[in-house]
Amino acid sequence: MIPVYNCSQFLVDTLESVLMQEIPEQEMQIEVVDDASTDTDVEALVKQIGKGRVSYYRQAQNVGSLRNFETCINRARGKIVHLLHGDDKVRKGYYSAMEKLLHQYPEAGAAFCRYQPIDAEDKTLPGIKAPERDTPGLLNNWLLRISERQRIQYAAIAVRREVYEKLGAFYGLFYAEDWEMWVRIARHYPVAYTPEILAEYRKHTTSISGVKHQTGQYLVDIAQAIELIQTHLPPAKRKSQRKKARMYYAHYGIIMANRIWRATHNKEVVKTNLREALKLNQNIKIWYAAVKVHLKMLLNIG
């Protein structure tokens, strides 16, 4: 299922990455669920690229990303649901690998792989995650590991339909809503994994995450996600996991502030990111890193 909203410049690549898997229609549904895009005639584009293999559904009006994801889940007919955003891609063999994992481990609620970050021009970016384990299989101690920080992107994970039916759809947040979902799944089910890099996650300034990085709102949402996630954890582990998550994302916020300063020299945006990062954690190392970025602004260097 491919949720889209005003990402037509990337949708062709997304569709082609799925179609190149050459999976028959009777084995896999491919459908674009359009949240009332305004950038192009998405239906015409789907017909042109899909040549009848890809179905199309358009919301009557813009309902927002969470409701659009819910529509994807509700319209999915298969036993396994993959929400592939209209700007991401899969590599050859993704679907067969996920199917194999979920067949081999029937107790698993979901399966995922590693992913390659790419930019708007399809160039590879740094940031490939270290393997969660060296060989395919079920992940150990996964609930606590995933509750520390986000380790998965939508493009990389396939979820059993029955899991969404039992646990519900995404809710409460417009950034980090997926992190909360992956923790929710890990609370109730084992999760399978392969260290193969079989998905591509696109980073660009017009995506939901790209816009929220510019405003610092992502850190506000992350703080809310951390609190939601605590409800999925054993009471004895909540304090330590909360501390680890807030420390990690405070550090991440400082890194993003520094990147934004180098890229745009927008002082107000950088100050917002620094302020929200320090709300998450005021460890001396975080303060030191924040002061370094602030000095760069004062001296107009970097």
Side-chain angles (χ1 to χ4, degrees):
M1 305 301 291
I2 304 174
V4 306
Y5 177 67
N6 286 358
C7 58
S8 60
Q9 68 269 43
F10 306 118
L11 183 55
V12 171
D13 285 349
T14 300
L15 291 173
E16 288 180 345
S17 78
V18 177
L19 292 168
M20 71 176 287
Q21 315 284 327
E22 297 182 336
I23 300 174
E25 188 169 0
Q26 62 269 26
E27 294 181 20
M28 186 173 79
Q29 173 189 8
I30 307 174
E31 180 166 301
V32 169
V33 179
D34 180 12
D35 193 14
S37 294
T38 58
D39 60 340
T40 193
D41 185 339
V42 178
E43 183 174 16
L45 188 153
V46 169
K47 288 180 179 178
Q48 177 187 351
I49 303 301
K51 296 180 173 57
R53 176 65 180 88
V54 182
S55 56
Y56 175 80
Y57 176 84
R58 179 180 173 89
Q59 302 282 10
Q61 60 186 18
N62 183 263
V63 297
S65 58
L66 299 190
R67 287 286 303 280
N68 206 42
F69 300 159
E70 183 179 7
T71 301
C72 287
I73 294 168
N74 290 338
R75 291 183 60 81
R77 300 190 299 270
K79 294 182 179 180
I80 300 170
V81 179
H82 181 219
L83 296 178
L84 179 65
H85 290 188
D87 50 2
D88 296 334
K89 298 193 290 183
V90 288
R91 292 182 175 179
K92 188 72 173 178
Y94 171 83
Y95 293 106
S96 59
M98 295 302 104
E99 183 180 29
K100 181 179 179 180
L101 278 171
L102 290 171
H103 177 75
Q104 186 174 357
Y105 301 100
E107 68 272 37
F112 73 100
C113 64
R114 284 200 292 168
Y115 61 88
Q116 169 69 62
I118 58 175
D119 66 12
E121 284 73 44
D122 273 358
K123 295 177 182 176
T124 58
L125 297 171
I128 295 178
K129 305 294 184 184
E132 300 293 347
R133 53 174 290 159
D134 294 333
T135 57
L138 295 178
L139 292 167
N140 296 322
N141 200 32
W142 182 240
L143 175 59
L144 295 183
R145 288 163 64 189
I146 187 63
S147 69
E148 288 181 12
R149 58 185 170 90
Q150 170 66 293
R151 298 170 182 266
I152 310 171
Q153 290 296 337
Y154 280 100
I157 187 167
V159 180
R160 293 191 194 275
R161 179 191 176 91
E162 66 188 61
V163 171
Y164 283 132
E165 290 174 345
K166 177 181 177 181
L167 303 184
F170 302 84
Y171 62 81
L173 303 162
F174 290 94
Y175 184 90
E177 82 292 337
D178 53 335
W179 182 27
E180 186 277 331
M181 173 61 82
W182 313 147
V183 176
R184 205 188 322 164
I185 292 172
R187 175 186 179 182
H188 295 277
Y189 297 90
V191 173
Y193 170 81
T194 175
E196 289 184 272
I197 300 171
L198 295 171
E200 297 183 359
Y201 165 63
R202 194 184 302 276
K203 296 182 177 182
H204 58 97
T205 56
T206 58
S207 67
I208 293 173
S209 57
V211 171
K212 294 219 169 193
H213 277 88
Q214 292 297 315
T215 63
Q217 181 63 36
Y218 72 104
L219 290 173
V220 177
D221 287 355
I222 283 173
Q224 294 176 3
I226 290 171
E227 298 309 311
L228 279 174
I229 282 168
Q230 302 316 299
T231 65
H232 300 308
L233 303 180
K237 295 292 185 180
R238 290 174 185 174
K239 184 176 180 180
S240 61
Q241 294 303 105
R242 182 178 184 272
K243 183 177 180 180
K244 289 176 183 178
R246 291 179 72 90
M247 180 67 177
Y248 176 84
Y249 281 107
H251 180 67
Y252 178 76
I254 302 297
I255 291 173
M256 290 307 305
N258 193 44
R259 289 178 181 173
I260 291 168
W261 172 248
R262 291 201 309 264
T264 69
H265 278 212
N266 187 320
K267 292 184 178 180
E268 291 307 312
V269 170
V270 173
K271 287 178 183 177
T272 298
N273 276 262
L274 292 177
R275 183 168 58 249
E276 296 301 332
L278 288 168
K279 287 181 182 178
L280 284 170
N281 191 292
Q282 297 197 10
N283 177 282
I284 187 64
K285 292 181 179 179
I286 299 298
W287 268 108
Y288 177 70
V291 168
K292 285 177 65 177
V293 177
H294 194 72
L295 284 174
K296 287 183 180 181
M297 288 194 298
L298 290 177
L299 300 173
N300 199 33
I301 60 175

